[in-house]
Amino acid sequence: MPKRNSKAQGNGQNSSSNRRRKPARKRVGFGTLVLFWPLILLQRITAPLPGFQRFLIRLVGHPALLAIYFLIPLVLFYYARARNYDMAKVEEMPERSVVLDRRGKELGRIHGEKRDIIDISKISQDFIFAILAREDERFYKHRGVDWIGFGRATLRNVKDMGMTQGASTLTMQLARNSYNLNADWLSFSDPLQDLDRKFLEIAVSYRIEGNYEKQEILEHYVNRIFWGHTIRGIEEASRTYFEKHAKDLTLSESALLAGIVRGPNAFSPFRDIPDAIKERDATLDRMVDAEFITKEQADAAKAEEVKVRPEWRRVFHDSWAMDAVRRELERILEEEDIEFGGLQITTTIDSLVQQKAEESLNSHLRSFERSAGYPHQTRAAWQDLPEPKPNPKYIQGSVVVIENLTGSIVATVGGRDADESKFNRSTQARRQVGSTFKPFVYLSAFERGLRPDTMISDDPLKPGEVKGAGRWSPSNSDGKFNGWQPASYGLIRSRNTMSVRVGNYAGNAKVAEVAEAVGFEQPLQKDPTAFLGTLEASPEELASAFTVFPNGGERYPPRIIAEIRDRNGEVQFSNPQLSYQAVGNGSAWTTSQILHEVMERGTGASVKRLGFHKPCGGKTGTTNDYKDAWFVGYTSSLTCAVWVGLDQPKTTINRGYGSVLALPVWAEVMKTADRLGYKAEGLRSKLSFTDCRLCRTSGQRATEGCEEAGEAYTDSVPLDLVPGPGSFCQIHQGDPSIAGDNVPKARPVDPESESAPKAVPVSPSNDVPRAVPVEEPVPRALPVE
């Protein structure tokens, strides 16, 4: 019994103990509690619920909470990455720089992308509705990502068993087009990279929505979007396809442009009109569904004929003016500015003069190509050659027009067609300038004391007469020699023998100094052949050098860009009109007066027959065997250089003088310029003059011996060229070897004695020709309105 009682007692104690003891709970660690408290909380909340209800809630709740656990770090990860993108880049779009002529007319567009950024207020409302209906109907109802639209597109894709519906909003497309969202570190897996890019696109879209208003987002989107054929932005697309501004688009045109956005090259109306119309009609239907337009409006738009830019106007034609602008920009702008574009570049070009220069050159040369027995390839024959064509070998030419008092290039033509040859002969071609260099030889001699009436021999050169010439003795173009003549006659008639003697008088070093001062880049040869124009230069160089004659020795270096503004209208570059005194006033004026005579009774006299009757000066030039034909001439406003020749130097035509091949082009260009307001007024001077008694043989102050020899005369001389007080003639003081045996000898005279003729001013009543100073400045060469 005791034993049984003891057992019973023991069992009783155990039972009592078991009843008091509850199942021990596992203690939840602090870390687990922090990390998984939502799951733990869900467990606790659902514990009292009935089993089936608890099961259903946990079945939905646990995956949902796990998804949240996954999304939170994902959101934070992509949020952090999206923060690295500069939101200002959304509105920074590379666009073409607009190039304007001096009248404000557009010459063309260069650099950047083929885009014209415009304000959304300048876009047709029909197009706004069309692009929203086509790409993002709920644009104004979401904040970057349209989750409702995403769900709808997903269901449609599942139903259609394929990816027939997209879910990208306009904001998402803007993000994708504005930034490079590809992660290089995921390049090993395309699917992962695509998924990463889509998540990042969503994150960046939210940032864009937080930084920009809806209208701004829409504006940036339509300006950035690609429309095929290198076209970007709605304005450029409208002008390219329909030749009108975006604000003038019709409903039909708006729907077509919106319709081809997803496949601009595939659906381009330039390539496939039926497919483009199909996309237009689909867009119109969506506009009706979105209640942007009525069914009747859609039907009327569908019935409208699609008229796109004709094929013959789709080809971009290059121009010599734009080529010159591009070259100049490379020297002005930093590389990043050129690439980004968006600038407004105002040039000095006058498109009306430019057009006339191009037309006149081609028309004149075509007339020679059509003549019987023409010995070279014609342009028409080259155009008939099959593709690919070789480089053209037909006769070429160049025209450069420069404004005297600014250095501004008014027109520049580098050949007969910029599409057929990219070689710009106005700046890149360096050809012998021939007789057009002679004015600078005479100018150099005038600065050394020679006067226009100083007598120079036109006879053949004698061995040893000219330094460095040896036995070289050039002939004149007419094969004649006319004995002693005034120096001016040598320039007016372009006499080679006289010009060499004048150059010898000046000295090679002086002529080389003048050539450099007026802008010739090539150093002058150190032999007398240089006096006849063996120097090589471009038409632009030669035109610029000649401006010293109407400018009284002052030179403005050539410039083609006047001003550059950024997209905000701020001036980024301004090209000042800087000048310098290249040569003496008196010598430039004296040479200019002779060049005026060249046009009156010299090698340029045919200009009157060509219809140009305004005051002007100029010089023809022809190189050996008629390989190069030049004419360079000027009025008070403009200087124009014309060159004609073949790219591979050879005889152009028989007797192909500058007066035949080049001067007629010059006359046509200058007649047009005069009508446009570049007035050719009298070539006046503000110089002061004094009358001196000079010797025709030496050009120095006359002595008693000069008077006795009949060589003394009175000349009106610019003050800066008046011979010094002691610069009396040495020839008529007893040295017959200089002037010849027939020159009377004269005894030295005392300059202070009364018997020596004095160089004194004469009164205006005398018959000596005088250049009267004028007070007013020479009129600027500016076009009229």
Side-chain angles (χ1 to χ4, degrees), residues 96 107-109 114 229-231 236 239-241 243 270 308-319 387 417-420 422:
R96 306 282 274 176
L107 291 176
R109 298 182 178 229
K114 195 173 181 182
H229 307 286
T230 73
I231 305 164
E236 194 67 35
R239 293 197 307 178
T240 300
Y241 287 122
E243 299 184 290
F270 285 171
V308 296
R309 179 192 292 262
E311 187 171 357
W312 64 272
R313 285 206 297 269
R314 297 174 195 173
V315 179
F316 169 76
H317 294 284
D318 204 352
S319 76
E387 297 290 350
D417 193 293
D419 291 328
E420 297 174 359
K422 301 303 180 184

Side-chain angles (χ1 to χ4, degrees), residues 56 71 73 97 180 195 228 321-322 343 351 384 391 477 481 571 720 773:
L56 287 177
L71 287 175
S97 292
N180 178 14
L195 188 62
M322 291 295 292
L343 305 172
S351 57
D384 289 338
N391 290 331
S477 60
F481 301 96
V571 176
D720 62 334

Side-chain angles (χ1 to χ4, degrees), residues 348-393:
T348 62
I349 293 290
D350 187 323
S351 57
L352 299 179
V353 179
Q354 176 76 24
Q355 181 180 359
K356 185 62 179 180
E358 293 174 0
E359 292 175 353
S360 299
L361 178 66
N362 198 44
S363 175
H364 184 60
L365 297 185
R366 186 169 57 246
S367 68
F368 286 97
E369 290 178 328
R370 292 174 175 174
S371 62
Y374 180 73
H376 306 295
Q377 179 191 60
T378 66
R379 184 181 174 207
W382 179 86
Q383 290 173 331
D384 289 338
L385 292 175
E387 297 290 350
K389 291 181 173 65
N391 290 331
K393 295 182 180 180

